[in-house]
Amino acid sequence: MFQYSQAILDAVASLPREKFSVVVAYVSSQWKSYLEKYSLASFHLGKAGAKYSFSNVWRVTGLPVGMWRAASPYFNTVAGSLVRARCNLWIFPAQDSWSFMAPVPSLVSIHDLMHRYERGFPEVSAHGAYFRRERLFRNISRWAKGIIVDSRVGKLHVHESYQVPLERIFELPYIPPGYIYETGIAGDFSEKYQLPGKFIFYPAQFWEHKNHARLVEAVAKVKTRHPDIFLVLAGARNNAYDEITRKVKTLELSENVIFLGHVPDHDMPELYRRACAMVMPTFFGPTNIPPLEAFALGCPVAVSNIYGMPEQAGDAALLFNPNSADEIAGCIERLWSDDSLRASLIAKGRAHATAWGQKQFNQTFLAIVEASTAC
């Protein structure tokens, strides 16, 4: 969401000044350095101390949101600051609860409703996660003037889940984050990562829905015919990491699977450039950003054929059933052994990246803002 918020910030900054006056409110001081490149008015929201905690209690106990919206500007710092700015529309790129806890007109991004569509995964259902997410998205859908989604599938999910009229839901597909286009390579890159000459790449945190387990099973199948296969995984060593490392040892893949741990943004582009392919067997969508990063950097892609991912990739990627280690293995083997296929996917991916980038994102965003402020 941090990278997506930067794309939204660029789109906001590109709004025509003769039609719009723009102000940015932020909480984290980290945003100050990003705001310096834009000529935008901005102010720091801060927190409201004990009163902020009271707003959390209000949310957790499920008290009526309408009552809070009516009263909050008088005793809550965040709500009061947003109201006093007197904006015609506040844009919330990170599906923020303040989009409905503050009585302001809002345009809000809903990135996914996987707690409804993939409830079997603990990261969206366990320890009250389902109910927290459900209350958040139900209230966003109830109070927002408009909702931004990533795809046609995302639009249908919001519509069928919360009966939001289709005319209030706007499609704005993801784009790669800006750092992906950086061309510099750290001088110690090769020494730091010690990558094999050829490898399959998957950048993802070790959540269960990221489906590392079947990816590793697929690599084991490919190894029987291509013993030189390598899989490189980037992601912090938490969540289901220990489970995956045990699986790697059980399948005798310790020499074939490389765990990089957390990789900083400035090293990610070179990993894509050096990879034979990026394979993403996730169960969550509707769409995702890594395939777009790979397209932009000339890295062939194979991705799950569920939700909005086929729509996002078009003919620029191979598709597979994420429940099938055999199908994943088939795609890996094709990418590993067929240079002409890889060349074709690289060309199609680059064409995809050229056709939809920050410029097109900004133009579509402008049309969404105009529609939202007109109603």
Side-chain angles (χ1 to χ4, degrees):
M1 288 189 192
F2 180 64
Q3 302 296 344
Y4 175 78
S5 295
Q6 290 182 55
I8 291 291
L9 176 60
D10 191 279
V12 167
S14 74
L15 292 173
R17 293 296 198 275
E18 66 273 15
K19 297 181 66 175
F20 299 97
S21 296
V22 177
V23 62
V24 178
Y26 62 95
V27 173
S28 172
S29 58
Q30 184 177 5
W31 281 104
K32 292 180 68 176
S33 61
Y34 290 90
L35 289 168
E36 288 174 357
K37 63 182 288 190
Y38 303 107
S39 300
L40 299 175
S42 64
F43 66 92
H44 186 261
L45 277 173
K47 289 189 176 181
K51 294 177 181 179
Y52 183 83
S53 298
F54 180 59
S55 70
N56 288 333
V57 171
W58 194 287
R59 287 197 296 268
V60 170
T61 54
L63 293 170
V65 172
M67 292 174 57
W68 170 272
R69 285 171 60 88
S72 63
Y74 300 101
F75 64 87
N76 183 272
T77 302
V78 173
S81 296
L82 291 172
V83 169
R84 284 192 295 274
R86 299 183 182 277
C87 292
N88 300 104
L89 188 70
W90 278 104
I91 298 154
F92 293 85
Q95 45 198 41
D96 198 315
S97 60
W98 283 112
S99 66
F100 60 85
M101 297 293 281
V104 295
S106 60
L107 177 62
V108 192
S109 295
I110 290 183
H111 294 280
D112 74 82
L113 297 177
M114 291 296 106
H115 70 290
R116 280 179 160 254
Y117 294 90
E118 296 288 351
R119 192 172 179 177
F121 290 99
E123 47 265 43
V124 291
S125 60
H127 310 296
Y130 176 89
F131 300 101
R132 288 192 297 272
R133 287 173 62 92
E134 181 65 10
R135 186 168 190 271
L136 171 68
F137 296 125
R138 188 171 293 279
N139 276 302
I140 288 174
S141 299
R142 162 68 178 84
W143 296 101
K145 287 191 71 174
I147 294 170
I148 296 175
V149 296
D150 65 336
S151 61
R152 178 185 57 84
V153 173
K155 183 172 186 173
L156 293 175
H157 281 183
V158 172
H159 174 65
E160 69 184 13
S161 294
Y162 304 119
Q163 293 74 56
V164 179
L166 291 173
E167 60 269 22
R168 282 179 50 212
I169 311 172
F170 304 97
E171 296 176 43
L172 184 64
Y174 295 141
I175 58 173
Y179 70 80
I180 280 294
Y181 296 97
E182 295 178 4
T183 57
I185 305 172
D188 62 346
F189 182 92
S190 296
E191 180 181 7
K192 184 193 303 185
Y193 296 110
Q194 298 185 358
L195 299 168
K198 186 178 181 181
F199 60 91
I200 300 297
F201 183 45
Y202 184 28
Q205 298 296 325
F206 288 89
W207 296 108
E208 287 187 27
H209 74 264
K210 296 296 187 181
N211 204 19
H212 290 83
R214 283 192 181 83
L215 178 58
V216 169
E217 292 171 8
V219 169
K221 292 177 181 292
V222 175
K223 184 182 177 181
T224 62
R225 295 177 294 277
H226 300 276
D228 61 339
I229 188 76
F230 285 99
L231 171 65
V232 172
L233 301 174
R237 295 181 171 94
N238 50 27
N239 304 311
Y241 171 78
D242 291 340
E243 177 185 336
I244 299 304
T245 56
R246 286 192 295 269
K247 194 174 192 70
V248 166
K249 291 177 182 177
T250 299
L251 294 173
E252 300 181 351
L253 291 172
S254 297
E255 299 299 318
N256 303 85
V257 179
I258 300 168
F259 296 91
L260 299 182
H262 170 73
V263 174
D265 288 350
H266 58 78
D267 285 340
M268 285 296 293
E270 186 63 11
L271 285 167
Y272 279 110
R273 284 191 287 262
R274 295 193 185 194
C276 172
M278 195 280 290
V279 178
M280 187 169 193
T282 183
F283 285 105
F284 277 21
T287 65
N288 295 280
I289 291 178
L292 304 178
E293 296 175 329
F295 291 159
L297 294 174
C299 178
V301 172
V303 68
S304 302
N305 65 353
I306 56 176
Y307 298 120
M309 286 173 257
E311 172 191 346
Q312 180 186 44
D315 64 351
L318 300 183
L319 302 174
F320 53 75
N321 177 357
N323 280 300
S324 172
D326 287 334
E327 286 196 26
I328 300 171
C331 287
I332 291 175
E333 185 162 13
R334 292 179 65 193
L335 291 166
W336 191 259
S337 59
D338 190 337
D339 290 342
S340 62
L341 171 65
R342 293 182 62 254
S344 174
L345 291 175
I346 288 171
K348 292 175 180 178
R350 289 194 185 279
H352 187 293
T354 301
W356 181 255
Q358 187 73 59
K359 177 182 177 181
Q360 294 83 0
F361 185 94
N362 292 357
Q363 292 170 343
T364 303
F365 180 79
L366 169 60
I368 291 171
V369 170
E370 289 177 331
S372 299
T373 52
C375 61

